[in-house]
């Protein structure tokens, strides 16, 4: 990803040049800083369970401004592999290093010295190897993966177990992604039904994943293979769209807490709620109402089985609960949905369809669906 033009554009090191002693110009430090701060080792030193290491009660900084400056020298000389602006696919190919623009002096950071006159590609590889070997990377990355896949507020013990799998997959291999993902998804904290009942367990579903959850559950298909969802990032749609995050950092901060909320009072985080506001909450429901009932473009779901169950509201809701919400709708939520569905006639094909549409929409808007456990 460090040679990806999108990263180079977002973090401004495409065309980054070595220091100029005549003008006093220095290499751009943007990527050097964010590579350490947000993508690999974080701001403070961590124990293997993700807790902060302390010195006299204070956190220990992971790196200094000098480390940023030293690392910035690595990210000089990187450019698109063609100057022909009529070939947009050059933004899909890895960047190349221009030797005349690359820093030739020594590069010193995080206790590592890359020797003078080391070329750009080798400097990059040594820098990434240094970060990969850093003690922080296992707990730092492990916690963020757990947040994306299982729960926003994992225990220290959970982080520690996954970080241990990061350090050693059981065969002495560091950073084996299959072993890391296996450790995350099979951990006792991830599989414990009792723990899932806790209000601090789970994660808010990304809006796009709410949509794809519906699509997978009910066999959504696009006969023309157009999948005409388009840009769903408007707050009147999903407030999120694949490949359209506002920056290279993603759609939300991993440490985001809704201000003045019960979540904040409990010292918990809910990253995905950074996308939520009064308009996006209503926009999501309105958008899904259209998607469920009439589809988007030629995208349609298959409700044959649901329509067969629609005459008996409890049977319909039970099926949707199992298929869409993993059986996690509470009795109170199911009762609320049933009361609404029972108010729709089951005597006509249109009525049966509307029963299905309403049960689906209310399930997709329910807390038990919106929070994945």
């Amino acid at each position: 990803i460090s040679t990806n033009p999108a990263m180079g554009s977002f973090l401004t090191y495409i065309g980054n040049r070595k220091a100029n002693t005549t003008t006093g110009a220095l290499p751009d430090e943007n990527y050097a800083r964010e590579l350490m701060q947000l993508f690999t080792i974080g701001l403070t030193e961590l124990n293997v369970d993700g807790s902060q290491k302390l010195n006299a009660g204070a956190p220990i900084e992971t790196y200094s401004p000098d480390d940023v400056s030293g690392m910035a020298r690595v990210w000089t000389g990187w450019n698109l592999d063609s100057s022909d602006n009529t070939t947009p696919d050059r933004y899909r190919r890895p960047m190349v290093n221009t030797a005349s623009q690359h820093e030739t002096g020594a590069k010193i950071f995080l206790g590592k010295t890359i020797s003078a006159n080391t070329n750009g590609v080798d400097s990059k590889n040594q820098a990434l190897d240094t970060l990969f070997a850093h003690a922080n990377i296992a707990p730092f990355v492990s916690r963020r993966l757990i947040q994306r896949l299982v729960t926003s507020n994992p225990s220290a013990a959970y982080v520690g177990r996954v970080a241990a799998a990061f350090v050693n997959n059981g065969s002495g291999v560091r950073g084996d992604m299959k072993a890391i993902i296996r450790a995350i998804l099979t951990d006792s904290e991830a599989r414990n039904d009792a723990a899932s009942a806790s209000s601090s367990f789970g994660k808010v579903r990304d809006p796009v994943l709410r949509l794809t959850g519906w699509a997978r559950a009910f066999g959504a298909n696009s006969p023309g293979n157009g999948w005409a969802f388009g840009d769903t990032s408007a707050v009147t749609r999903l407030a999120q769209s694949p490949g359209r995050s506002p920056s290279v950092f993603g759609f939300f901060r991993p440490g985001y807490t809704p201000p003045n909320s019960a979540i904040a009072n409990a010292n918990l985080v809910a990253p995905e709620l950074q996308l939520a506001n009064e308009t996006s909450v209503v926009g999501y429901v309105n958008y899904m109402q259209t998607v469920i009932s009439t589809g988007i473009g030629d995208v349609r779901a298959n409700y044959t089985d649901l329509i067969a169950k629609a005459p008996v509201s409890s049977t319909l809701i039970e099926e949707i609960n199992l298929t869409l919400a993993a059986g996690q709708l509470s009795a109170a939520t199911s009762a609320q949905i049933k009361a609404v569905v029972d108010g729709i006639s089951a005597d006509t094909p249109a009525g049966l369809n509307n029963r299905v549409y309403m049960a689906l929409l209310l399930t997709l808007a329910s807390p038990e669906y919106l929070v994945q456990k």
Side-chain angles (χ1 to χ4, degrees), residues 345-359:
S345 172
D347 296 334
T348 66
L352 294 174
N353 283 335
N354 287 334
R355 279 183 158 227
V356 170
Y357 301 156
M358 184 57 69

Side-chain angles (χ1 to χ4, degrees), residues 281-301:
V281 168
V282 175
Y284 161 70
V285 176
N286 289 339
Y287 177 69
M288 289 309 302
Q289 181 180 30
T290 299
V291 171
I292 291 166
S293 59
T294 63
I296 296 289
D298 69 346
V299 178
R300 301 288 187 278

Side-chain angles (χ1 to χ4, degrees), residues 212-287:
T212 56
W214 160 82
R216 290 187 177 118
F218 304 107
N221 187 35
S222 173
N225 204 33
W227 297 98
F229 291 103
D231 182 0
T232 55
S233 58
V235 291
T236 54
R237 304 189 86 187
L238 296 178
Q240 187 184 45
S241 188
R244 294 178 183 269
S245 64
S247 80
V248 74
F249 310 131
F251 293 97
F252 37 75
R253 302 193 309 272
Y256 176 78
T257 298
N260 304 313
S261 66
I263 295 171
N265 293 338
N267 295 315
L268 300 174
V269 300
E272 296 83 359
L273 286 184
Q274 193 170 357
L275 294 176
N277 55 52
E278 292 87 344
T279 305
S280 69
V281 168
V282 175
Y284 161 70
V285 176
N286 289 339
Y287 177 69

